[in-house]
Amino acid sequence: CEVNPLRREPSQSWYSRALGLKSVQQLLNVNPLIVSNSFVLFYALTVCYVRRTRQHQWRCSEVTFRSANQGLCEQWITVINEQLSLLTNRPKSLLVYINPYGGKRRGKRIYEQKVAPLFRRACISADVIVTEQANHARDHLKTEANLEKYDGVVCVGGDGMFSEIIHGLITRTQTDHQVDQNLSDAELVPCSLRIGIIPAGSTDCICFATVGTNDPVTSALHIIVGDSQPMDVCSVHHNQTFLRYSVSLLGYGFYGDILTDSERKRWLGPARYDLSGAKTFLNHNYYEGTVSFLPAEDDMGNPRDKLQCRSGNMSKETENSGWIEIRGKFIAINAASMSCACPRSPKGLSPSAHLADGTTDLILVRKCSRLDFLRHLLRHTNKADQFDHSFVEVHRVRKFRFQPRHYELLSLEDLSEPPKKASFRPICSGPTGCNYGSAYSSWNCDGEILPHAAIQVRYATMTAMHTLGFLRSSSDFLHHTLKKIISCT
Protein backbone atom coordinates (compact mmCIF):
# COMPACT_ATOMS: atom_id res chain seq x y z
CA CYS A 1 0.00 0.00 0.00
CA GLU A 2 1.19 3.48 -0.73
CA VAL A 3 1.52 6.05 2.05
CA ASN A 4 0.30 9.53 1.24
CA PRO A 5 0.61 11.87 4.28
CA LEU A 6 -2.45 13.96 4.93
CA ARG A 7 -2.26 16.93 7.31
CA ARG A 8 -5.34 17.64 9.38
CA GLU A 9 -6.26 20.51 11.67
CA PRO A 10 -5.49 19.92 15.37
CA SER A 11 -9.06 20.67 16.35
CA GLN A 12 -10.36 17.71 14.39
CA SER A 13 -10.73 14.50 16.36
CA TRP A 14 -8.78 11.59 14.91
CA TYR A 15 -11.78 9.35 15.30
CA SER A 16 -14.14 11.68 13.42
CA ARG A 17 -13.97 9.49 10.32
CA ALA A 18 -13.23 5.88 9.57
CA LEU A 19 -9.59 5.13 8.85
CA GLY A 20 -8.37 3.14 5.88
CA LEU A 21 -10.21 2.14 2.77
CA LYS A 22 -13.56 0.49 3.34
CA SER A 23 -12.27 -2.50 1.48
CA VAL A 24 -11.00 -5.98 2.12
CA GLN A 25 -9.17 -5.78 -1.17
CA GLN A 26 -5.91 -6.36 0.64
CA LEU A 27 -7.63 -6.39 4.00
CA LEU A 28 -5.42 -3.44 4.91
CA ASN A 29 -4.77 0.16 4.02
CA VAL A 30 -2.34 2.69 5.46
CA ASN A 31 -3.65 6.19 6.07
CA PRO A 32 -1.66 8.81 7.99
CA LEU A 33 -3.20 10.80 10.80
CA ILE A 34 -2.25 14.07 12.53
CA VAL A 35 -3.02 14.41 16.24
CA SER A 36 -2.14 16.89 19.03
CA ASN A 37 -1.26 20.57 18.72
CA SER A 38 2.30 19.83 17.69
CA PHE A 39 1.16 18.09 14.51
CA VAL A 40 2.80 14.75 15.28
CA LEU A 41 2.37 12.53 12.23
CA PHE A 42 0.77 9.14 12.84
CA TYR A 43 0.01 6.39 10.40
CA ALA A 44 -2.93 4.05 10.71
CA LEU A 45 -3.90 0.73 9.16
CA THR A 46 -7.33 -0.87 9.28
CA VAL A 47 -7.94 -4.60 9.41
CA CYS A 48 -11.35 -5.95 8.39
CA TYR A 49 -12.44 -9.17 10.03
CA VAL A 50 -15.49 -11.31 10.74
CA ARG A 51 -17.23 -11.33 14.09
CA ARG A 52 -20.29 -13.14 15.42
CA THR A 53 -23.00 -10.73 16.51
CA ARG A 54 -25.47 -13.34 17.72
CA GLN A 55 -25.87 -17.08 17.50
CA HIS A 56 -24.75 -18.19 14.02
CA GLN A 57 -24.94 -14.64 12.61
CA TRP A 58 -21.78 -13.00 11.24
CA ARG A 59 -20.92 -9.41 10.39
CA CYS A 60 -17.88 -7.63 8.92
CA SER A 61 -16.05 -5.41 11.41
CA GLU A 62 -12.88 -3.33 11.49
CA VAL A 63 -10.06 -2.61 13.91
CA THR A 64 -7.59 0.27 13.43
CA PHE A 65 -3.95 0.38 14.55
CA ARG A 66 -1.86 3.59 14.81
CA SER A 67 1.87 4.13 14.75
CA ALA A 68 4.24 7.03 14.20
CA ASN A 69 6.57 4.63 12.36
CA GLN A 70 5.62 4.38 8.72
CA GLY A 71 8.02 1.50 8.13
CA LEU A 72 6.40 -0.54 10.92
CA CYS A 73 2.96 -0.08 9.36
CA GLU A 74 4.23 -1.20 6.00
CA GLN A 75 5.91 -4.21 7.63
CA TRP A 76 2.61 -5.23 9.21
CA ILE A 77 0.88 -4.91 5.86
CA THR A 78 3.47 -7.10 4.18
CA VAL A 79 3.29 -9.80 6.84
CA ILE A 80 -0.50 -9.89 6.95
CA ASN A 81 -0.79 -10.07 3.17
CA GLU A 82 1.75 -12.90 3.14
CA GLN A 83 -0.34 -14.81 5.69
CA LEU A 84 -3.52 -14.20 3.71
CA SER A 85 -1.91 -15.47 0.53
CA LEU A 86 -1.38 -18.84 2.26
CA LEU A 87 -5.15 -19.31 2.70
CA THR A 88 -5.72 -21.21 -0.53
CA ASN A 89 -9.30 -22.17 0.40
CA ARG A 90 -10.49 -18.61 -0.10
CA PRO A 91 -12.15 -18.06 -3.50
CA LYS A 92 -10.96 -15.46 -5.98
CA SER A 93 -13.40 -16.01 -8.84
CA LEU A 94 -17.05 -17.10 -8.61
CA LEU A 95 -19.89 -17.90 -10.97
CA VAL A 96 -23.11 -16.47 -9.52
CA TYR A 97 -26.66 -17.42 -10.52
CA ILE A 98 -29.53 -15.23 -9.31
CA ASN A 99 -33.14 -16.40 -9.30
CA PRO A 100 -35.19 -13.17 -9.61
CA TYR A 101 -38.52 -14.95 -9.12
CA GLY A 102 -37.99 -17.17 -6.05
CA GLY A 103 -39.42 -16.44 -2.62
CA LYS A 104 -40.64 -12.84 -2.53
CA ARG A 105 -38.69 -11.88 -5.68
CA ARG A 106 -35.90 -10.29 -3.64
CA GLY A 107 -32.94 -12.29 -4.97
CA LYS A 108 -31.48 -9.64 -7.26
CA ARG A 109 -31.85 -6.88 -4.67
CA ILE A 110 -30.32 -8.99 -1.91
CA TYR A 111 -27.28 -9.75 -4.05
CA GLU A 112 -26.73 -6.19 -5.27
CA GLN A 113 -27.23 -4.49 -1.91
CA LYS A 114 -25.82 -6.99 0.61
CA VAL A 115 -23.56 -9.49 -1.11
CA ALA A 116 -21.86 -7.80 -4.09
CA PRO A 117 -20.29 -5.04 -1.91
CA LEU A 118 -18.74 -7.69 0.35
CA PHE A 119 -17.37 -9.62 -2.62
CA ARG A 120 -15.82 -6.43 -3.99
CA ARG A 121 -14.20 -5.64 -0.63
CA ALA A 122 -12.75 -9.14 -0.57
CA CYS A 123 -11.41 -8.67 -4.13
CA ILE A 124 -13.54 -11.56 -5.41
CA SER A 125 -14.49 -11.32 -9.07
CA ALA A 126 -17.97 -12.57 -9.88
CA ASP A 127 -19.62 -13.38 -13.19
CA VAL A 128 -23.37 -12.93 -12.59
CA ILE A 129 -26.14 -14.65 -14.53
CA VAL A 130 -29.77 -13.76 -13.80
CA THR A 131 -31.85 -16.81 -14.67
CA GLU A 132 -34.72 -16.32 -17.09
CA GLN A 133 -36.67 -19.56 -16.75
CA ALA A 134 -36.77 -22.79 -14.76
CA ASN A 135 -33.62 -24.92 -15.06
CA HIS A 136 -31.70 -22.10 -16.76
CA ALA A 137 -28.79 -22.50 -14.31
CA ARG A 138 -28.87 -26.31 -14.54
CA ASP A 139 -28.72 -26.34 -18.33
CA HIS A 140 -26.00 -23.67 -18.46
CA LEU A 141 -23.81 -25.64 -16.04
CA LYS A 142 -24.37 -28.89 -17.92
CA THR A 143 -23.29 -27.58 -21.31
CA GLU A 144 -22.01 -24.01 -21.62
CA ALA A 145 -20.25 -22.87 -18.44
CA ASN A 146 -16.43 -22.73 -18.51
CA LEU A 147 -15.93 -24.16 -15.01
CA GLU A 148 -12.13 -24.14 -15.13
CA LYS A 149 -11.96 -20.38 -14.56
CA TYR A 150 -13.94 -20.43 -11.29
CA ASP A 151 -13.22 -21.41 -7.70
CA GLY A 152 -16.89 -22.01 -6.93
CA VAL A 153 -20.50 -21.57 -7.93
CA VAL A 154 -22.93 -19.43 -5.91
CA CYS A 155 -26.71 -19.50 -6.15
CA VAL A 156 -28.87 -16.64 -4.92
CA GLY A 157 -32.31 -18.08 -4.28
CA GLY A 158 -34.07 -20.82 -2.38
CA ASP A 159 -33.78 -24.59 -2.12
CA GLY A 160 -35.04 -25.04 -5.68
CA MET A 161 -32.25 -22.87 -7.04
CA PHE A 162 -29.67 -24.85 -5.09
CA SER A 163 -31.15 -28.06 -6.49
CA GLU A 164 -30.66 -26.69 -10.01
CA ILE A 165 -26.98 -26.03 -9.28
CA ILE A 166 -26.50 -29.48 -7.78
CA HIS A 167 -28.06 -31.20 -10.80
CA GLY A 168 -26.10 -29.14 -13.28
CA LEU A 169 -22.72 -29.66 -11.60
CA ILE A 170 -23.15 -33.35 -10.77
CA THR A 171 -24.48 -34.17 -14.24
CA ARG A 172 -21.62 -32.24 -15.86
CA THR A 173 -19.08 -34.08 -13.70
CA GLN A 174 -20.52 -37.53 -14.45
CA THR A 175 -20.70 -36.75 -18.17
CA ASP A 176 -17.06 -35.60 -18.23
CA HIS A 177 -16.04 -38.86 -16.50
CA GLN A 178 -18.35 -41.04 -18.62
CA VAL A 179 -20.42 -42.25 -15.67
CA ASP A 180 -23.93 -43.53 -16.48
CA GLN A 181 -26.26 -41.88 -13.95
CA ASN A 182 -29.07 -44.31 -14.79
CA LEU A 183 -27.19 -47.16 -13.12
CA SER A 184 -28.30 -47.21 -9.50
CA ASP A 185 -25.03 -48.85 -8.39
CA ALA A 186 -22.71 -46.55 -10.37
CA GLU A 187 -19.95 -44.83 -8.39
CA LEU A 188 -20.53 -41.09 -8.73
CA VAL A 189 -17.51 -38.80 -9.13
CA PRO A 190 -17.41 -35.93 -6.60
CA CYS A 191 -17.64 -32.37 -7.92
CA SER A 192 -14.41 -30.37 -7.79
CA LEU A 193 -16.16 -27.00 -7.44
CA ARG A 194 -17.69 -25.87 -4.19
CA ILE A 195 -21.21 -24.49 -4.06
CA GLY A 196 -22.33 -21.49 -2.05
CA ILE A 197 -25.85 -20.44 -1.10
CA ILE A 198 -27.10 -16.91 -0.60
CA PRO A 199 -30.58 -17.45 0.88
CA ALA A 200 -33.37 -15.61 -0.95
CA GLY A 201 -36.18 -18.16 -1.09
CA SER A 202 -39.39 -19.00 0.73
CA THR A 203 -37.99 -21.32 3.43
CA ASP A 204 -34.22 -21.62 2.75
CA CYS A 205 -34.22 -24.98 4.50
CA ILE A 206 -30.78 -26.09 3.28
CA CYS A 207 -29.07 -22.88 4.37
CA PHE A 208 -30.87 -22.72 7.72
CA ALA A 209 -30.22 -26.38 8.53
CA THR A 210 -26.47 -26.04 7.91
CA VAL A 211 -25.44 -22.47 8.75
CA GLY A 212 -28.07 -22.02 11.46
CA THR A 213 -29.57 -18.87 9.95
CA ASN A 214 -30.99 -17.68 6.63
CA ASP A 215 -29.11 -14.38 6.76
CA PRO A 216 -27.52 -13.50 3.37
CA VAL A 217 -24.67 -11.44 4.90
CA THR A 218 -23.62 -14.39 7.08
CA SER A 219 -23.62 -16.71 4.08
CA ALA A 220 -21.56 -14.24 2.03
CA LEU A 221 -18.94 -13.98 4.78
CA HIS A 222 -18.71 -17.79 5.03
CA ILE A 223 -18.01 -17.83 1.31
CA ILE A 224 -15.39 -15.07 1.55
CA VAL A 225 -13.35 -16.76 4.32
CA GLY A 226 -13.55 -20.10 2.49
CA ASP A 227 -15.54 -22.22 4.93
CA SER A 228 -16.65 -25.57 3.57
CA GLN A 229 -18.73 -28.53 4.64
CA PRO A 230 -19.11 -31.88 2.84
CA MET A 231 -22.68 -33.01 2.26
CA ASP A 232 -24.59 -36.16 1.49
CA VAL A 233 -26.24 -36.37 -1.91
CA CYS A 234 -28.72 -39.13 -2.69
CA SER A 235 -29.59 -40.39 -6.15
CA VAL A 236 -33.20 -41.45 -6.74
CA HIS A 237 -34.00 -44.10 -9.34
CA HIS A 238 -37.03 -45.87 -10.73
CA ASN A 239 -35.87 -49.30 -11.90
CA GLN A 240 -32.74 -48.41 -13.92
CA THR A 241 -33.83 -44.87 -14.72
CA PHE A 242 -32.33 -41.89 -12.88
CA LEU A 243 -34.93 -39.44 -11.57
CA ARG A 244 -33.28 -36.76 -9.39
CA TYR A 245 -30.65 -35.95 -6.79
CA SER A 246 -31.61 -34.85 -3.29
CA VAL A 247 -29.69 -33.22 -0.44
CA SER A 248 -32.38 -32.48 2.15
CA LEU A 249 -35.82 -34.14 2.15
CA LEU A 250 -37.56 -36.96 0.37
CA GLY A 251 -41.17 -36.99 1.55
CA TYR A 252 -44.01 -39.30 0.54
CA GLY A 253 -47.58 -38.92 1.75
CA PHE A 254 -48.08 -35.77 3.83
CA TYR A 255 -45.26 -33.63 2.41
CA GLY A 256 -45.75 -35.00 -1.08
CA ASP A 257 -49.45 -34.12 -0.98
CA ILE A 258 -48.67 -30.59 0.26
CA LEU A 259 -46.31 -29.99 -2.64
CA THR A 260 -48.68 -31.47 -5.22
CA ASP A 261 -51.55 -29.28 -4.03
CA SER A 262 -49.38 -26.15 -3.70
CA GLU A 263 -48.21 -26.45 -7.31
CA ARG A 264 -51.77 -25.58 -8.36
CA LYS A 265 -51.63 -22.42 -6.24
CA ARG A 266 -48.30 -20.90 -7.26
CA TRP A 267 -50.03 -17.57 -7.88
CA LEU A 268 -50.40 -17.26 -4.08
CA GLY A 269 -46.63 -17.12 -3.52
CA PRO A 270 -45.22 -18.56 -0.26
CA ALA A 271 -48.70 -18.47 1.30
CA ARG A 272 -49.64 -21.45 -0.85
CA TYR A 273 -47.72 -23.77 1.48
CA ASP A 274 -49.79 -22.72 4.50
CA LEU A 275 -53.06 -23.21 2.64
CA SER A 276 -52.03 -26.55 1.14
CA GLY A 277 -50.65 -27.71 4.49
CA ALA A 278 -53.95 -27.04 6.26
CA LYS A 279 -55.90 -28.74 3.49
CA THR A 280 -53.64 -31.81 3.51
CA PHE A 281 -53.84 -32.09 7.29
CA LEU A 282 -57.66 -32.00 7.20
CA ASN A 283 -57.77 -34.62 4.43
CA HIS A 284 -55.63 -36.89 6.64
CA ASN A 285 -54.86 -39.43 3.94
CA TYR A 286 -52.76 -42.54 4.37
CA TYR A 287 -51.08 -44.78 1.80
CA GLU A 288 -50.21 -48.46 1.77
CA GLY A 289 -46.86 -49.77 0.67
CA THR A 290 -43.63 -51.57 1.50
CA VAL A 291 -40.48 -49.85 2.73
CA SER A 292 -37.19 -51.77 2.49
CA PHE A 293 -33.96 -50.34 3.86
CA LEU A 294 -30.34 -51.20 4.53
CA PRO A 295 -29.55 -49.99 8.08
CA ALA A 296 -26.36 -48.11 8.90
CA GLU A 297 -23.79 -49.64 11.22
CA ASP A 298 -24.06 -49.11 14.98
CA ASP A 299 -21.05 -46.79 15.07
CA MET A 300 -22.98 -44.26 12.95
CA GLY A 301 -25.24 -43.46 15.90
CA ASN A 302 -29.01 -43.31 15.80
CA PRO A 303 -31.50 -40.51 15.06
CA ARG A 304 -32.46 -40.11 18.73
CA ASP A 305 -28.99 -39.84 20.30
CA LYS A 306 -29.00 -36.00 20.12
CA LEU A 307 -25.50 -36.04 18.65
CA GLN A 308 -24.74 -34.03 15.52
CA CYS A 309 -21.84 -34.95 13.25
CA ARG A 310 -20.33 -32.84 10.44
CA SER A 311 -17.01 -34.66 10.09
CA GLY A 312 -17.89 -36.76 7.06
CA ASN A 313 -17.31 -40.23 8.55
CA MET A 314 -18.65 -42.63 5.94
CA SER A 315 -20.81 -45.60 6.78
CA LYS A 316 -19.36 -48.85 5.45
CA GLU A 317 -21.42 -51.73 4.17
CA THR A 318 -20.54 -55.06 5.80
CA GLU A 319 -21.37 -58.64 4.98
CA ASN A 320 -23.49 -58.94 8.13
CA SER A 321 -25.82 -56.10 7.18
CA GLY A 322 -29.06 -57.08 5.52
CA TRP A 323 -32.19 -55.46 4.18
CA ILE A 324 -35.17 -54.91 6.48
CA GLU A 325 -38.70 -54.81 5.08
CA ILE A 326 -41.69 -53.05 6.62
CA ARG A 327 -45.22 -53.23 5.22
CA GLY A 328 -47.92 -50.90 6.45
CA LYS A 329 -50.24 -47.95 6.07
CA PHE A 330 -48.36 -44.66 6.31
CA ILE A 331 -49.45 -41.06 6.65
CA ALA A 332 -45.90 -39.94 5.88
CA ILE A 333 -42.58 -41.47 4.83
CA ASN A 334 -39.71 -38.99 5.18
CA ALA A 335 -35.99 -39.38 4.48
CA ALA A 336 -33.98 -36.51 6.01
CA SER A 337 -30.37 -36.21 4.84
CA MET A 338 -29.97 -33.21 7.17
CA SER A 339 -32.01 -31.80 10.03
CA CYS A 340 -34.28 -29.95 7.52
CA ALA A 341 -34.55 -27.10 10.02
CA CYS A 342 -36.19 -23.83 9.03
CA PRO A 343 -37.46 -20.75 10.90
CA ARG A 344 -40.79 -22.45 11.62
CA SER A 345 -39.12 -25.67 12.74
CA PRO A 346 -35.81 -24.70 14.40
CA LYS A 347 -34.88 -28.33 15.15
CA GLY A 348 -36.15 -29.75 11.88
CA LEU A 349 -37.59 -33.12 10.93
CA SER A 350 -34.59 -35.00 12.33
CA PRO A 351 -32.55 -32.81 14.72
CA SER A 352 -29.62 -35.26 14.98
CA ALA A 353 -29.27 -36.09 11.28
CA HIS A 354 -25.59 -36.28 10.27
CA LEU A 355 -24.45 -34.10 7.39
CA ALA A 356 -21.79 -36.10 5.62
CA ASP A 357 -21.70 -39.78 6.52
CA GLY A 358 -23.51 -41.40 3.61
CA THR A 359 -26.70 -42.08 5.61
CA THR A 360 -30.19 -40.66 5.99
CA ASP A 361 -32.77 -40.75 8.78
CA LEU A 362 -35.83 -42.65 7.52
CA ILE A 363 -38.96 -41.55 9.43
CA LEU A 364 -42.11 -43.68 9.13
CA VAL A 365 -45.38 -42.20 10.42
CA ARG A 366 -48.04 -44.90 10.48
CA LYS A 367 -51.79 -44.42 10.30
CA CYS A 368 -53.04 -42.59 13.39
CA SER A 369 -55.72 -40.14 14.46
CA ARG A 370 -55.65 -36.49 13.42
CA LEU A 371 -55.01 -35.48 17.01
CA ASP A 372 -52.01 -37.78 17.34
CA PHE A 373 -50.61 -36.60 14.02
CA LEU A 374 -51.08 -32.99 15.14
CA ARG A 375 -49.09 -33.76 18.31
CA HIS A 376 -46.31 -35.15 16.14
CA LEU A 377 -46.29 -32.05 13.92
CA LEU A 378 -46.29 -29.67 16.88
CA ARG A 379 -43.13 -31.29 18.22
CA HIS A 380 -41.31 -30.03 15.15
CA THR A 381 -41.68 -26.52 16.62
CA ASN A 382 -40.32 -27.27 20.11
CA LYS A 383 -37.57 -29.27 21.80
CA ALA A 384 -39.68 -32.33 22.64
CA ASP A 385 -38.77 -35.71 21.13
CA GLN A 386 -40.89 -35.86 17.97
CA PHE A 387 -40.19 -39.58 17.60
CA ASP A 388 -41.64 -40.47 21.01
CA HIS A 389 -44.94 -41.77 19.65
CA SER A 390 -46.12 -45.34 19.19
CA PHE A 391 -47.03 -44.65 15.56
CA VAL A 392 -43.61 -43.13 14.63
CA GLU A 393 -40.41 -45.04 14.02
CA VAL A 394 -37.08 -43.78 12.73
CA HIS A 395 -34.05 -45.61 11.32
CA ARG A 396 -30.61 -44.47 10.15
CA VAL A 397 -30.12 -46.11 6.75
CA ARG A 398 -27.71 -46.18 3.82
CA LYS A 399 -30.20 -47.22 1.14
CA PHE A 400 -33.94 -47.67 0.93
CA ARG A 401 -36.68 -48.64 -1.50
CA PHE A 402 -40.40 -48.00 -1.57
CA GLN A 403 -43.10 -49.90 -3.43
CA PRO A 404 -46.72 -48.72 -3.13
CA ARG A 405 -49.32 -51.43 -2.77
CA HIS A 406 -51.30 -50.18 -5.75
CA TYR A 407 -48.94 -48.73 -8.30
CA GLU A 408 -49.49 -47.36 -11.76
CA LEU A 409 -47.24 -45.20 -13.92
CA LEU A 410 -47.82 -41.50 -13.34
CA SER A 411 -46.85 -38.43 -15.28
CA LEU A 412 -46.29 -34.95 -13.90
CA GLU A 413 -49.48 -33.90 -15.72
CA ASP A 414 -51.42 -36.55 -13.80
CA LEU A 415 -50.01 -35.31 -10.50
CA SER A 416 -50.92 -31.70 -11.29
CA GLU A 417 -54.59 -32.58 -11.77
CA PRO A 418 -56.95 -32.57 -8.76
CA PRO A 419 -57.70 -36.07 -7.49
CA LYS A 420 -60.96 -37.58 -8.69
CA LYS A 421 -63.64 -37.72 -6.05
CA ALA A 422 -64.44 -41.29 -7.00
CA SER A 423 -61.03 -42.40 -5.76
CA PHE A 424 -61.81 -41.46 -2.16
CA ARG A 425 -63.29 -44.01 0.16
CA PRO A 426 -63.37 -43.99 3.97
CA ILE A 427 -61.19 -46.62 5.59
CA CYS A 428 -61.46 -46.05 9.31
CA SER A 429 -64.79 -45.07 10.80
CA GLY A 430 -63.42 -45.03 14.31
CA PRO A 431 -61.69 -42.17 16.17
CA THR A 432 -58.76 -42.10 13.75
CA GLY A 433 -60.82 -40.58 10.96
CA CYS A 434 -58.31 -41.51 8.23
CA ASN A 435 -59.04 -41.41 4.51
CA TYR A 436 -57.65 -43.70 1.87
CA GLY A 437 -57.06 -40.73 -0.44
CA SER A 438 -55.98 -42.77 -3.47
CA ALA A 439 -53.76 -45.71 -4.25
CA TYR A 440 -50.69 -43.52 -4.30
CA SER A 441 -49.21 -40.22 -3.20
CA SER A 442 -46.19 -38.51 -4.79
CA TRP A 443 -42.63 -37.92 -3.62
CA ASN A 444 -41.48 -34.45 -2.61
CA CYS A 445 -37.81 -34.38 -3.62
CA ASP A 446 -36.31 -31.12 -2.33
CA GLY A 447 -39.41 -29.26 -3.44
CA GLU A 448 -39.86 -31.06 -6.77
CA ILE A 449 -42.44 -33.74 -7.59
CA LEU A 450 -41.12 -37.11 -8.74
CA PRO A 451 -43.03 -38.79 -11.60
CA HIS A 452 -42.90 -42.23 -9.95
CA ALA A 453 -43.98 -43.51 -6.54
CA ALA A 454 -41.85 -46.68 -6.63
CA ILE A 455 -38.25 -45.60 -6.10
CA GLN A 456 -34.80 -46.81 -5.05
CA VAL A 457 -32.53 -44.41 -3.14
CA ARG A 458 -28.86 -44.52 -2.18
CA TYR A 459 -26.59 -42.00 -0.48
CA ALA A 460 -23.04 -40.74 -1.02
CA THR A 461 -20.91 -37.89 0.35
CA MET A 462 -19.77 -35.99 -2.69
CA THR A 463 -20.04 -32.21 -2.49
CA ALA A 464 -18.84 -29.32 -0.34
CA MET A 465 -20.22 -25.84 0.08
CA HIS A 466 -18.62 -22.58 1.11
CA THR A 467 -21.57 -21.44 3.18
CA LEU A 468 -21.71 -24.24 5.69
CA GLY A 469 -20.24 -24.97 9.08
CA PHE A 470 -19.70 -23.34 12.45
CA LEU A 471 -15.95 -22.99 12.25
CA ARG A 472 -14.77 -19.88 14.07
CA SER A 473 -15.59 -17.78 17.07
CA SER A 474 -16.08 -14.05 16.58
CA SER A 475 -12.45 -13.00 16.38
CA ASP A 476 -10.39 -16.18 15.92
CA PHE A 477 -9.27 -15.08 12.45
CA LEU A 478 -8.05 -11.70 13.72
CA HIS A 479 -6.33 -13.24 16.75
CA HIS A 480 -4.59 -15.89 14.65
CA THR A 481 -3.35 -13.32 12.13
CA LEU A 482 -2.12 -10.78 14.69
CA LYS A 483 -0.31 -13.50 16.64
CA LYS A 484 1.78 -14.30 13.56
CA ILE A 485 2.43 -10.63 12.92
CA ILE A 486 3.75 -10.06 16.45
CA SER A 487 6.06 -13.05 16.14
CA CYS A 488 7.47 -11.61 12.91
CA THR A 489 8.00 -8.08 14.21
Side-chain angles (χ1 to χ4, degrees):
C1 294
E2 295 182 359
V3 179
N4 298 311
L6 176 65
R7 183 176 294 274
R8 301 183 63 194
E9 295 297 328
S11 60
Q12 290 182 291
S13 301
W14 68 268
Y15 53 82
S16 63
R17 68 183 183 91
L19 300 177
L21 289 176
K22 295 290 186 178
S23 172
V24 197
Q25 205 164 23
Q26 292 178 311
L27 276 192
L28 296 168
N29 178 58
V30 172
N31 212 8
L33 183 66
I34 304 292
V35 295
S36 82
N37 292 329
S38 59
F39 292 94
V40 177
L41 187 63
F42 277 86
Y43 295 86
L45 58 92
T46 299
V47 179
C48 298
Y49 67 99
V50 174
R51 65 183 178 91
R52 183 173 294 163
T53 58
R54 63 181 71 173
Q55 188 179 21
H56 308 319
Q57 191 173 90
W58 285 13
R59 286 294 179 267
C60 186
S61 294
E62 300 175 348
V63 60
T64 299
F65 301 90
R66 308 191 311 275
S67 174
N69 188 331
Q70 175 183 346
L72 181 60
C73 287
E74 292 175 339
Q75 186 178 359
W76 278 48
I77 292 171
T78 301
V79 173
I80 291 180
N81 283 333
E82 288 176 352
Q83 295 300 320
L84 291 175
S85 66
L86 300 177
L87 303 177
T88 57
N89 58 325
R90 297 181 59 173
K92 296 180 177 62
S93 179
L94 296 173
L95 176 59
V96 180
Y97 293 96
I98 300 176
N99 179 5
Y101 305 109
K104 298 181 180 179
R105 300 175 179 264
R106 299 176 301 174
K108 190 174 181 181
R109 186 172 75 251
I110 286 174
Y111 179 78
E112 292 175 349
Q113 295 181 1
K114 297 183 177 182
V115 178
L118 291 174
F119 283 175
R120 285 193 294 268
R121 295 178 70 182
C123 203
I124 295 176
S125 63
D127 291 339
V128 179
I129 297 176
V130 180
T131 59
E132 299 175 356
Q133 68 271 336
N135 296 320
H136 181 173
R138 182 200 67 182
D139 296 339
H140 183 260
L141 284 169
K142 285 170 60 175
T143 57
E144 301 178 35
N146 181 10
L147 302 181
E148 295 181 356
K149 59 185 289 190
Y150 301 109
D151 300 315
V153 179
V154 174
C155 62
V156 183
D159 297 337
M161 188 63 176
F162 176 75
S163 180
E164 275 196 46
I165 302 299
I166 282 287
H167 281 81
L169 275 181
I170 296 180
T171 301
R172 173 76 170 266
T173 303
Q174 308 320 307
T175 302
D176 291 346
H177 290 83
Q178 298 180 339
V179 176
D180 187 356
Q181 297 178 95
N182 287 317
L183 300 178
S184 59
D185 58 349
E187 288 295 328
L188 299 180
V189 179
C191 302
S192 58
L193 286 179
R194 294 177 176 180
I195 306 172
I197 310 176
I198 303 297
S202 300
T203 58
D204 301 312
C205 171
I206 296 174
C207 192
F208 193 93
T210 49
V211 179
T213 179
N214 55 356
D215 173 55
V217 172
T218 300
S219 293
L221 291 174
H222 275 286
I223 293 172
I224 288 171
V225 301
D227 286 350
S228 62
Q229 167 68 55
M231 287 188 63
D232 291 327
V233 175
C234 80
S235 57
V236 186
H237 295 77
H238 172 73
N239 296 330
Q240 287 298 317
T241 302
F242 168 75
L243 299 181
R244 287 189 69 85
Y245 293 112
S246 172
V247 296
S248 59
L249 172 68
L250 276 168
Y252 184 83
F254 183 71
Y255 290 105
D257 290 350
I258 290 178
L259 181 62
T260 302
D261 187 77
S262 68
E263 285 299 297
R264 309 182 195 112
K265 303 178 176 64
R266 296 191 69 89
W267 56 274
L268 286 173
R272 68 186 185 272
Y273 297 115
D274 296 329
L275 182 60
S276 297
K279 178 181 176 181
T280 303
F281 173 78
L282 293 175
N283 285 342
H284 199 58
N285 295 328
Y286 76 85
Y287 304 92
E288 297 185 62
T290 301
V291 180
S292 306
F293 59 87
L294 193 62
E297 301 306 310
D298 294 337
D299 59 357
M300 304 309 296
N302 67 78
R304 301 181 67 179
D305 57 16
K306 297 183 179 181
L307 299 175
Q308 292 183 326
C309 175
R310 300 171 182 270
S311 61
N313 295 322
M314 288 294 296
S315 172
K316 295 183 179 180
E317 195 170 334
T318 64
E319 295 180 357
N320 296 327
S321 61
W323 285 80
I324 297 175
E325 185 176 284
I326 298 177
R327 293 186 178 91
K329 303 172 182 178
F330 306 99
I331 293 178
I333 300 173
N334 301 319
S337 304
M338 57 179 64
S339 67
C340 296
C342 65
R344 293 189 179 185
S345 178
K347 296 297 181 180
L349 291 181
S350 185
S352 299
H354 293 185
L355 266 181
D357 61 352
T359 70
T360 189
D361 290 350
L362 183 62
I363 307 167
L364 308 178
V365 183
R366 295 180 180 271
K367 184 181 73 172
C368 62
S369 69
R370 278 191 182 88
L371 181 59
D372 282 341
F373 188 56
L374 178 61
R375 291 192 182 108
H376 170 67
L377 292 179
L378 289 177
R379 290 194 177 185
H380 290 79
T381 64
N382 55 45
K383 296 182 179 180
D385 185 356
Q386 57 193 268
F387 307 131
D388 189 21
H389 296 287
S390 59
F391 55 89
V392 178
E393 57 183 288
V394 59
H395 308 272
R396 184 153 290 165
V397 307
R398 287 184 275 111
K399 301 178 182 179
F400 77 91
R401 298 190 293 255
F402 177 71
Q403 179 67 39
R405 180 182 175 186
H406 307 287
Y407 178 72
E408 58 185 273
L409 184 64
L410 303 178
S411 67
L412 289 177
E413 289 76 13
D414 295 331
L415 292 172
S416 64
E417 293 296 327
K420 298 179 181 179
K421 293 184 178 180
S423 64
F424 285 81
R425 62 183 179 90
I427 278 292
C428 35
S429 59
T432 58
C434 296
N435 291 322
Y436 189 84
S438 64
Y440 48 79
S441 176
S442 54
W443 283 96
N444 179 340
C445 179
D446 292 356
E448 298 291 335
I449 300 173
L450 295 183
H452 299 279
I455 61 173
Q456 304 89 40
V457 184
R458 68 166 187 151
Y459 288 79
T461 301
M462 59 175 302
T463 187
M465 300 195 294
H466 282 299
T467 61
L468 310 184
F470 310 98
L471 300 184
R472 291 182 176 86
S473 63
S474 59
S475 59
D476 280 355
F477 170 72
L478 177 64
H479 171 76
H480 179 71
T481 302
L482 295 183
K483 183 178 179 181
K484 290 192 174 183
I485 294 171
I486 294 171
S487 65
C488 293
T489 55

